[in-house]
Amino acid sequence: MVGMQVESLRRYPVKSMLGEEVETLFVDERGAEGDRRLALVDSTTGHVASAKQARLWRDLLKCTAIGDAGRVSIGLPDGTTVAADDPEVNEVLSRLLGRSVRLVSKRPDGATVERPDPEKLLELGLDAEVAGRILEIGLATPGDSFTDDAPLHAITTATLDHIGVEALRYRPNLVIATPAGCPPYVENGWTEREIGIGTVRLRGLELTPRCVVPTLEHGPLPKAPQALRTPAAENRLPAGSCGLAACAGIYFTATTPGVIRVGDRVTLDP
């Protein structure tokens, strides 16, 4: 694999909200700086709010969180904004979502999310009562961030172009541009291998199991069921705690921290 480079970099200051593209991104064992450092907690169940449970939380994808000089601003669907440290933020977001929530910056011990069976949700509808699993998050990520299974997530343009959806649907930190002719799902071969990006070293942990989130409306983007159905038909593989799952992309951890820049060359160890 030669000729790979960083096409884009993203971070998502509030879990399950839309995020922002950036030109540079500092990464270390805790993940990407400013990424998923805040989340909403359901006051009733105690679960972290995640659009994986689309029946309750898909409206989070109508909000956009942007970090600026250490402060996070949340753009709401009506065009207004609220600061993450505004004393009224919990009331504003609870009213928007129709459930009592609180915005937190420290991952609670044993923090969990609900993950209904994503393919059943596509079959029965997003408001169906679909059984699933309660998953503890952040187990592979030191610190207090609200990542699901690992500190960093990457996907290649070969996979995205094949599936035919926008990168932001999969919520990656890195989109890696691959050379012409590269097969889709090339990431499948990167587990337990390292990639170099400038002085940064990343080690592949496991493939990324896809939930229902990529299929949902993202801001102005319409639903895209193929974001799950295509990898479910073509790339069903073991994926960590989720077992056999539709996969697209790969999780990484940083073994050598540093700054990644758009356009940086990406090299794959033998």
Side-chain angles (χ1 to χ4, degrees):
M1 291 296 299
V2 297
M4 294 192 298
Q5 65 179 33
V6 176
E7 180 176 90
S8 61
L9 296 165
R10 291 173 166 82
R11 65 184 174 201
Y12 312 87
V14 179
K15 186 175 182 64
S16 273
M17 291 186 184
L18 300 181
E20 56 188 337
E21 282 198 53
V22 293
E23 292 297 310
T24 64
L25 199 59
F26 175 81
V27 300
D28 62 13
E29 63 179 0
R30 299 170 297 173
E33 186 174 35
D35 183 55
R36 297 171 173 91
R37 294 305 199 258
L38 301 174
L40 295 173
V41 173
D42 187 327
S43 300
T44 301
T45 66
H47 295 313
V48 173
S50 167
K52 290 177 175 61
Q53 177 52 285
R55 179 172 55 85
L56 299 180
W57 307 116
R58 61 182 182 267
D59 283 351
L60 286 172
L61 292 167
K62 297 178 180 178
C63 302
T64 300
I66 295 175
D68 182 22
R71 298 191 69 199
V72 173
S73 175
I74 299 171
L76 303 174
D78 63 1
T80 62
T81 61
V82 60
D85 58 0
D86 189 311
E88 304 297 321
V89 67
N90 291 340
E91 180 181 342
V92 169
L93 294 175
S94 295
R95 188 164 56 245
L96 171 69
L97 297 166
R99 290 182 71 87
S100 175
V101 294
R102 51 192 174 88
L103 188 65
V104 300
S105 59
K106 178 178 173 58
R107 186 176 75 229
D109 292 339
T112 54
V113 298
E114 294 181 277
R115 189 184 194 273
D117 184 309
E119 294 173 59
K120 281 292 185 183
L121 282 178
L122 282 189
E123 176 188 348
L124 300 176
L126 298 178
D127 291 316
E129 294 276 359
V130 173
R133 304 173 63 194
I134 305 299
L135 300 177
E136 187 172 350
I137 64 172
L139 294 177
T141 304
D144 293 324
S145 72
F146 293 87
T147 60
D148 285 332
D149 295 311
L152 297 165
H153 171 42
I155 197 166
T156 64
T157 55
T159 297
L160 292 169
D161 292 346
H162 173 76
I163 298 172
V165 295
E166 302 85 353
L168 66 84
R169 291 187 179 276
Y170 291 120
R171 304 177 66 77
N173 300 115
L174 294 86
V175 177
I176 298 175
T178 45
C182 178
Y185 313 118
V186 65
E187 306 94 317
N188 290 355
W190 294 358
T191 58
E192 301 302 324
R193 298 175 70 181
E194 289 205 356
I195 64 173
I197 309 175
T199 60
V200 174
R201 304 285 298 176
L202 306 179
R203 180 169 56 85
L205 296 177
E206 61 187 44
L207 301 185
T208 308
R210 303 309 346 176
C211 61
V212 78
V213 170
T215 74
L216 303 176
E217 294 175 349
H218 281 61
L221 294 180
K223 294 177 182 177
Q226 73 272 27
L228 176 60
R229 286 177 176 157
T230 299
E234 300 175 341
N235 202 48
R236 193 180 293 275
L237 294 167
S241 62
C242 287
L244 203 63
C247 295
I250 184 171
Y251 286 128
F252 283 104
T253 186
T255 57
T256 303
V259 176
I260 299 174
R261 297 174 173 82
V262 171
D264 278 353
R265 181 186 176 201
V266 178
T267 59
L268 178 66
D269 282 3

